[in-house]
Amino acid sequence: MNSSLHVTACASAVLFVISIAMFLRWMKAESHLRLPPGPNRIPLLGNVHQLPMQSQERKFTQWGAEYAGDIVFAKLFKTPTLVINSLQVAQELLDKRSSKYSYRPDFILLSDLMGWDCVITHMTYGDRFRKHRRWISNAFQDKHSLGSYRPLQRREAYMLLSGLLQSPELFRSHIKRFAAAMILQIAYGHSVTSLDDKFIHLAERAGKETVEYGSAGVMLVDLFPFLKHIPLWMPGSGFKSRAFEIRDLVRKMLDTPFEMVKDAMKSGTASPCLTATLLEEVLSKRAPTAEDEDDIKGTAGVLYGAATDTTVAVLSTFILAMVLHPEVYEKAQAEVDRVVGQDRLPEFEDRESLPYLECVVKEVFRWNCPVPLGLPHKLISNDQYQGFDIPGGSMVIPNIWGMTRNDSFYPEPEMFRPERFEQMDRETAEARDPRKMVFGFGRRICPGQDFADASIWIAIASIVATLDIGVTTDEAGKQAPPTGSFVPGLVSHPEEFSCKITPRSEQVKTVVFEMGANVVL
């Protein structure tokens, strides 16, 4: 045996011995614990080899059924992991024990390498998190603030309708413009006038590249943080090079609109917006530091980088569901016609008078929850639940997709059926409202959920009132319905599909134009 082979063999033997020693140590540490049920683990890998590369939520749901557990314990390499498949358990642990469960695992890939460290979604619980949370809550949870956004939401809903009337084949682009335009106005005072808006493109590209490349909490570098120190010249460091490319996109997305607001403030031309308000708040005390600016960039950036993508996913899902279920759409249109009539568009004040439309919105959220696994939490210290021990440091994954597929709550869960909520009594319908899941839990719940819900409702109500949606036909005149499939990922979007969108009448165009022209911000 030559010397190089001898060295390699010795190194392999040493690594093997170290690995076995580490495994035995972990086994000993766990031997006295009564862990929740879960799949059998093997040395080193734990259960990671049993997880598919995509759609892990389906595997977690299968584990829940197999081990008859609302909670399932697994290990991803050395990381203890608790999967929550039940809304009740999520509320009991993540809501009621939020002081223990509000932390985040170390997102090495997303935060350290890709540059998302300054956004609240990726921060662990602490002073910086609370500061960002306070800023966002002031903007989106105060009743006066929410009310002040309604003219903007109406205007953008009318702009959405106008775009769908003019170029219905670009419905996805119009939905993206709708979602981004509201956030860009609120966060930066920027009015979107075109589908080619540069800020929309910046956010879309940074978000798309991030979601496609990095799934939070499951990349190897997250489970083995030492990998982030691998030199770029070393074999196997390609993930770092790709992460740094995405980091440049993320920085442009965060920096470009922030600098626009700063320049406008210097020249006295800045429009009222969240970024200007936060800068003024800091300036009233001192000159902004680099950390201050990074916090403000992150607070505004998380709105237009993340919130828009989930809104697009929900509205695209609504369009898909209506194409596949014309009977639902016709029933919703009949209700809107009875309440709103033909001479105006729906207003927020009409919402309580449109109970079936409310059921449709709930079913859209349930049928394709926008973020199937949310973002993982981290348990900061040891805990006990239902007689089981949960080790401190565990990654806690709320399987929101699995919760929305609970067939004891939602019979035939794969079916799109808004009537399921009509058939529940008021208390049950409230308890099983999917919006109690899809916006997250505890101190990690989305602070902008009321704004997002209102924006989605006014868009859906406006579309139902004015447009017909149907299946396209091929060249032979045969209907070509979409498959109804979804693209797996951090955010669940429908696969590309086509549909036919037409005005319900000629009067619609006049009503949309007149009401859009009369909106005053």
Side-chain angles (χ1 to χ4, degrees), residues 323-324 326 469-482 498 500:
V323 174
L324 295 174
I469 301 174
V471 179
T472 56
T473 54
D474 59 24
E475 294 180 355
K478 294 183 179 180
Q479 289 192 336
S498 60
K500 184 179 180 181

Side-chain angles (χ1 to χ4, degrees), residues 365-417:
F365 277 115
R366 187 206 66 81
W367 189 55
N368 178 43
C369 58
V371 187
L373 292 175
L375 282 174
H377 294 228
K378 180 181 179 179
L379 173 62
I380 195 62
S381 60
N382 295 338
D383 198 13
Q384 287 190 332
Y385 182 70
Q386 294 182 345
F388 295 112
D389 298 309
I390 307 173
S394 292
M395 180 164 64
V396 182
I397 300 175
N399 182 8
I400 299 170
W401 184 88
M403 297 175 202
T404 65
R405 291 301 188 275
N406 182 341
D407 57 10
S408 64
F409 276 17
Y410 313 109
E412 299 179 298
E414 296 300 324
M415 297 289 294
F416 184 90
R417 195 167 61 85

Side-chain angles (χ1 to χ4, degrees), residues 151-166:
L152 171 64
Q153 291 168 311
R154 291 190 191 96
R155 184 193 74 182
E156 294 306 330
Y158 302 155
M159 290 290 290
L160 171 62
L161 295 179
S162 179
L164 292 173
L165 287 168
Q166 293 175 28

Side-chain angles (χ1 to χ4, degrees), residues 434-478:
R435 288 169 293 200
K436 291 186 178 295
M437 314 171 206
V438 300
F439 288 107
F441 300 95
R443 300 178 190 181
R444 290 287 176 177
I445 196 167
C446 172
Q449 62 175 322
D450 291 335
F451 175 82
D453 180 57
S455 299
I456 287 166
W457 184 87
I458 194 66
I460 288 177
S462 299
I463 290 171
V464 170
T466 59
L467 302 172
D468 284 327
I469 301 174
V471 179
T472 56
T473 54
D474 59 24
E475 294 180 355
K478 294 183 179 180

Side-chain angles (χ1 to χ4, degrees), residues 28-40:
K28 183 179 180 181
E30 289 183 356
S31 62
H32 68 285
L33 298 178
R34 184 167 183 252
L35 298 170
N40 292 328

